[in-house]
Amino acid sequence: MGGFDDHVAMMGDWMPPNPSPRAFFSAAWGDDISSRSILESPAENKTDDKDWMRIGGASDQLTKSNPFADQKMSSRGGLLERMAARAGFNAPRLNTESIRPADLLLDPDVRSPYLTIPPGLSPTSLLESPVFLANSLVQPSPTTGKIPFAPGSSSRSSTLITESSDKSRNFFEDISSSSFAFKPIAESSPSLFFGAASKQSFPSIEVSVQPENTLHCQSAEPAKVQSQSAEHSPPPDDQQDEDADQRGGGDTMAGGGAPSDDGYNWRKYGQKQVKGSEYPRSYYKCTHPNCPVKKKVERSHEGHITEIIYKGAHNHPKPPPNRRSVIGSSNLTTEMQLDTADQAGTQIGADGDPMWTIMQKETAGGSHDWRNGNLEVGGEFNGPNSLQGQIGAHFESGDAVDGCSTFTNEEDEDDRGTHGSESLGYDGEGDESDSKRRFVMHLSIFYKIKPGLFSVLLQKKERRD
DNA sequence: AGCCTTTGACCAGCG
DNA sequence: TCGCTGGTCAAAGGC
C-alpha cells in the first residue's frame, strides 16, 4: 500500500515537473514537432567524470540547467530509490521540468490527475518498451545481455551528452487542442547517457527505466515483494529500501553496497560529503580480488539512493546469489545495476579504462532527477547498444504496462539478468492495432490519462498522418 | 576470524 | 604556492 501512497505523494512533489506527454508522444509517433526535442539540451553533462559513467540522473546537471531543479533537489530520494531498490532499476526522470512550460505551472488544469505522469517514468521508456518496440530493438542490447559490450568499445568518455534525437514532434499539439494543455517544452536537460550512448558507443551505460507504477504495483502485490513488504510497515518503501541498503540487501545497493545489490559484493572504503551534493557520497569497491570495479553512491539522509555511478568492469562472474532471493524485489534492481555495472565496466575493464556509469539518481523529495530523464526521448534507436535498447529492456522487465504484476514477477528474471529480451507483450509489427491499444493502455496507466482520450488522440493523429 | 562499515587523514588534481 | 575538492587509505570497531 505504502507504495501507492508514496507514489502519490511523490507525484505531488514533483508533479510540476511532469514529463511532458508531448515529448512522449512525439517520440512515439515521430511527429514532427518543431519544438526542440526534449533531449535537446546541450550537454550539460558534467558527467565529465572522466572515467566514470553515470547512469542515474545527476541532480546537479539538471539542477543547474533546470530552474525547477531546486524544488526537486529538496525532495529527492524516495521513490526512485525505492524503485531502484526494489526493481533494481532506476527510473529515469523526465526532464520535463525543463520542458514544462510555464503554462503548466500556471495552469492548474494541467495538473489534472489524468495528466500526471508517474515520476521516474520515462515516456521514452514506454515507447522503447518492448511492448511497443520490435523486439529486435531490444534484443541486441547489451543490457539485454544479448550483446556483450565490446571490450574495446570506446567509450571512455563517461560523459554522456545528450543529443536530442530530434524527435520532437507535434503530436501534443493535437493533444493540446483536444484537451491537454501540454505545450512545447523549452529545454531539456541533456540526457546523460542516452544521448551519449547513442552518439558514442557507450557501452556500459545502462539505464533501467521503470515506471513508478510498477513500484506501486509491487506494493500492491506483497506476495512478490516478499520479505520486503513484510519487513516494513512504516514507510514501506523507504524502510525497506533503507534496510536493504544498509546491509547491502537493498538493491539500492548503492547504499548498502553490500553484496546483493547488483549481485556483486561491495566493500565501502570511504564516504565523503561532496560539495554541490546535498547528500554524502559513498565509495565502494568490488570485493572480488583484482576486480577494479568501483562505484560511487549518493544517498539521501533517509537512505534513498540518489545516484549510483559505476566505474570499471567486473572481471569475474557474479557471485552466487544470496540474499537476493530473499530480497526479492531487489532482484530487478540488482540485475539492472548489475548489468549496468557489468556492461559499463566491462568495456572499461578490458582496457583498464575505468568508466563510471551513472546508474541512477533520484531525488529524494520525490522529484526524480533523472537526468536521464532525457532519455525519454532519446531519440531513435541507435542500435543494439543504444541505451534505449537497454532501456527498453529494462523497461520491459519492469514494464508496468500490463499491470504491475509484470514487474514484480521480475524477480525471476534475476538470473536472466536485466535483459529484457523477452518482450512483454509486443506481438510484432503485424499487430499494429494491438500495439496501439497497448500503447494507449500504457499511456493511460502511466500518465493516468483516460484511455479513451488517448484513443481519440491517437486516431486523430493517425488521420492526420 | 573474517568481512564490512565508519571516519579522519592523506594524496592528487585543479584553479 | 595555497586552498579547495574529490578520491582513497587505513585504523578502529561492529556484526
Side-chain angles (χ1 to χ4, degrees), chain A residues 110-294:
Chain A
V110 173
R111 294 190 174 200
S112 164
Y114 288 101
L115 296 178
T116 59
I117 296 170
L121 170 58
S122 166
T124 303
S125 302
L126 270 179
L127 294 178
E128 300 295 341
S129 158
V131 173
F132 295 110
L133 297 178
N135 290 344
S136 63
L137 293 178
V138 174
Q139 293 177 346
S141 167
T143 305
T144 60
K146 292 189 175 181
I147 297 174
F149 286 106
S153 326
S154 55
S155 55
R156 326 183 121 224
S157 62
S158 41
T159 39
L160 308 177
I161 297 171
T162 308
E163 282 81 37
S164 46
S165 38
D166 299 298
K167 279 195 152 185
S168 350
R169 311 248 162 149
N170 288 329
F171 177 71
F172 265 98
E173 293 176 357
D174 292 345
I175 293 170
S176 297
S177 62
S178 298
S179 62
F180 289 118
F182 295 119
K183 297 193 174 179
I185 298 160
E187 55 190 8
S188 55
S189 55
S191 55
L192 297 181
F193 350 128
F194 295 104
S198 59
K199 303 273 181 172
Q200 306 174 4
S201 50
F202 213 166
S204 35
I205 296 172
E206 181 173 308
V207 175
S208 17
V209 176
Q210 185 167 4
E212 289 180 354
N213 289 343
T214 357
L215 292 180
H216 301 307
C217 295
Q218 288 181 348
S219 313
E221 297 183 0
K224 301 197 173 174
V225 175
Q226 296 180 352
S227 62
Q228 289 182 347
S229 62
E231 295 176 355
H232 327 283
S233 38
D237 298 347
D238 292 355
Q239 286 287 53
Q240 101 181 34
D241 290 351
E242 292 175 2
D243 291 349
D245 290 351
Q246 300 289 331
R247 279 293 162 179
D251 63 327
T252 356
M253 57 180 55
S260 46
D261 296 354
D262 38 13
Y264 290 95
N265 295 324
W266 301 93
R267 181 169 50 80
K268 186 175 183 178
Y269 64 89
Q271 180 174 326
K272 201 158 199 173
Q273 178 67 47
V274 176
K275 187 175 186 182
S277 174
E278 50 186 320
Y279 303 119
R281 176 178 296 174
S282 297
Y283 300 88
Y284 296 87
K285 287 181 181 178
C286 177
T287 60
H288 189 280
N290 299 326
C291 180
V293 178
K294 294 177 183 177

